[in-house]
Amino acid sequence: MKIRIAIFVGFFGSAVALAGVGAFGHQDRAAWRGEAEHACLAEGRVKATAFVRPLDEIVDQETCGLEHPFRVLALAAGAIGVEPSARLGCSMTAALDVWLRDVVQPAARARFGAEVAEIRNAGSYACRRSREPGEPRLSEHAYGNGIDLAAFILADGREISVGSMGDSRAAAFLSDVQSGACGLFKTVLGPGADKTHDDHIHLDLARYDVDGRVTRCGPRPAEPALPGLVPPADGDAPAVSFAPPAGVEVARARPAADTDLSTGSVTPARSVAAEPTP
């Protein structure tokens, strides 16, 4: 009897090891995910602040979770609020910060003569599968490696909603920021890419090949919307040099507001600095 048990345990353990699955059915995450997190932390690309707060490790179903998550309440040294706050990994937090600082803010100043004060988070960490048709794999959201953005709120209260039929400057701004995200992120999907991204911009750092050089960016403008905004080559930083904004009136959108994604209720926006949660 003991021999049979030993044989069974040995066989089961070998099968689990070959399949990359833990003894209780919890699969191991791809090695590059932990390596990317550790490298990001070691390089100091994200530092704990009042607006970017380390959280305990997230261990969830299947391979969902991440070792070193952050609660992100604001980026760009606290100048751009993230509402509701996001749970992201180190690499995604760092890339989002660079994009907001080097692409989004210059585009907002050029198009509207005002800076972005807040981005509307429509989804960060969530243990779920991809919503793309015919795609059974876990989403990058399941690893804190992706974010969905529904709107940009300017400092003067104007809101640029992704996918809404706004004026030409709003459309051009959204094209600017989406184009400028290509190269900083591995996946950039927004209105026009497919039906699942008609109302938000999805950004992530998925790895499509061994070296992590393959990117998926769509729809990608044939030409930059503004002079100097050139989608970067692999590994290059985006070159941003905007022309002065045209003197065109912009319709005022509704005031910024917080949205409870679970209930859909909307409440007046609050100061990021006053955010009480960790």
Side-chain angles (χ1 to χ4, degrees):
M1 183 66 177
K2 291 182 179 179
I3 294 175
R4 288 181 180 179
I5 292 173
I7 292 173
F8 173 77
V9 170
F11 173 78
F12 179 73
S14 299
V16 164
L18 289 171
V21 181
F24 297 97
H26 188 89
Q27 297 177 342
D28 295 327
R29 295 179 199 127
W32 68 266
R33 295 189 183 279
E35 292 167 1
E37 276 194 274
H38 295 155
C40 178
L41 292 166
E43 293 165 9
R45 293 171 57 201
V46 174
K47 298 183 185 299
T49 68
F51 306 108
V52 179
R53 304 174 184 176
L55 296 174
D56 291 337
E57 179 180 4
I58 298 174
V59 179
D60 216 326
Q61 301 176 49
E62 298 189 54
T63 61
C64 297
L66 59 162
E67 289 184 62
H68 305 286
F70 289 90
R71 171 75 67 184
V72 181
L73 294 89
L75 290 167
I80 302 178
V82 180
E83 288 291 343
S85 61
R87 286 186 295 172
L88 298 169
C90 183
S91 299
M92 193 64 200
T93 301
L96 191 62
D97 190 57
V98 171
W99 178 65
L100 290 172
R101 185 190 66 221
D102 294 350
V103 175
V104 173
Q105 287 295 44
R109 288 193 293 266
R111 294 298 184 184
F112 304 110
E115 293 194 336
V116 170
E118 183 178 293
I119 55 175
R120 185 75 70 234
N121 168 29
S124 55
Y125 173 77
C127 185
R128 65 170 177 82
R129 300 197 176 278
S130 172
R131 290 172 180 156
E132 293 184 67
E135 185 57 80
R137 65 177 175 80
L138 285 172
S139 166
E140 288 302 304
H141 289 283
Y143 306 103
N145 203 34
I147 192 168
D148 293 336
L149 300 176
F152 300 82
I153 315 300
L154 300 181
D156 59 13
R158 286 175 288 177
E159 178 174 331
I160 300 95
S161 297
V162 179
S164 65
M165 297 299 291
D167 64 17
S168 59
R169 269 207 290 180
F173 168 78
L174 292 172
S175 178
D176 294 341
V177 299
Q178 193 168 327
S179 178
C182 299
L184 281 172
F185 299 94
K186 298 302 180 183
T187 311
V188 180
L189 299 172
D194 56 50
K195 291 183 178 180
T196 64
H197 296 93
D198 281 347
D199 60 355
H200 67 276
I201 296 174
H202 170 84
L203 307 171
D204 73 44
L205 292 171
R207 186 164 294 190
Y208 296 107
D209 65 331
V210 175
D211 298 325
R213 297 182 63 82
V214 174
T215 60
R216 181 185 176 194
C217 188
R220 193 164 187 161
E223 295 181 1
L226 286 174
L229 179 56
V230 181
D234 288 343
D236 293 339
V240 182
S241 176
F242 291 102
V248 179
E249 290 296 324
V250 180
R252 191 174 180 82
R254 65 183 184 275
D258 290 343
T259 302
D260 184 329
L261 298 181
S262 62
T263 65
S265 62
V266 179
T267 57
R270 62 183 182 277
S271 169
V272 174
E275 173 64 52
T277 58

